[in-house]
Each structure stands twice: as structure tokens, then as C-alpha cells.
Amino acid sequence: GTFEEHDDEAWRKAFDTNLMSVVWMVRESLPYLKQSPQGRIINITSTAVKEPIEGLILSNSVRLGTTGLAKTLSRELGAHIGLP
């Protein structure tokens, strides 16, 4: 939908579903990932992170946060989960 079609609850649901779910998954799995030299975190999001898709404002907005989180985690945690 468009910006005007979504209330705060829709934004919160999109945020929880698309970003916070990744935060919660990483938080829970990180102790196990650190124990393995093969540990990896892989996020598959959407082509919308490169080019917004018309009518998908919630996804277009929140998935960029997921991509930013993944890039930041790669720098912050890379040495701890098997990356040089």
C-alpha cells in the first residue's frame, strides 16, 4: 500500500516481522555461531533494497534496515564467527 494507507500498527507489524525477527534470531543464535568456525548469518530480503517497489512502502522502508543491520553485523561480529 501507500504511506497514507498504513497506520502505526501496520508500521509496527512490518518492523517486527522484517527487522526485529532478524535481531531476535541473531541474538539467539550468536552464542552457537561463535562456537563454530563455519558460523554464518545470511539474510535474504528483497530487490526493493536496491530499487523501491511501487505500493510496498512498508517493505521498502523496513528491509533497508535489515540490510543495514547485516552490513553492520558483518563488521562487528565477523571475527567472532569464522570470518577473517
Side-chain angles (χ1 to χ4, degrees):
T2 64
F3 181 81
E4 292 179 314
E5 293 174 330
H6 297 293
D7 61 9
D8 287 351
E9 184 58 31
W11 280 96
R12 278 192 274 291
K13 184 176 179 182
F15 183 78
D16 282 349
T17 301
N18 294 296
L19 178 61
M20 289 308 298
S21 63
V22 176
V23 170
W24 298 323
M25 183 271 312
V26 171
R27 191 177 291 146
E28 290 296 317
S29 61
L30 191 57
Y32 304 101
L33 292 169
K34 285 182 171 182
Q35 293 175 6
S36 171
Q38 301 302 315
R40 299 289 186 269
I41 299 169
I42 299 172
N43 294 295
I44 300 172
T45 60
S46 170
T47 58
V49 299
K50 292 187 176 215
E51 181 66 36
I53 299 170
E54 187 175 337
L56 295 179
I57 192 164
L58 298 175
S59 179
N60 293 339
S61 300
V62 179
R63 289 185 194 277
L64 285 169
T66 303
T67 300
L69 172 66
K71 288 181 178 188
T72 303
L73 287 174
S74 72
R75 292 181 177 106
E76 185 177 313
L77 302 174
H80 299 289
I81 58 173
L83 297 177

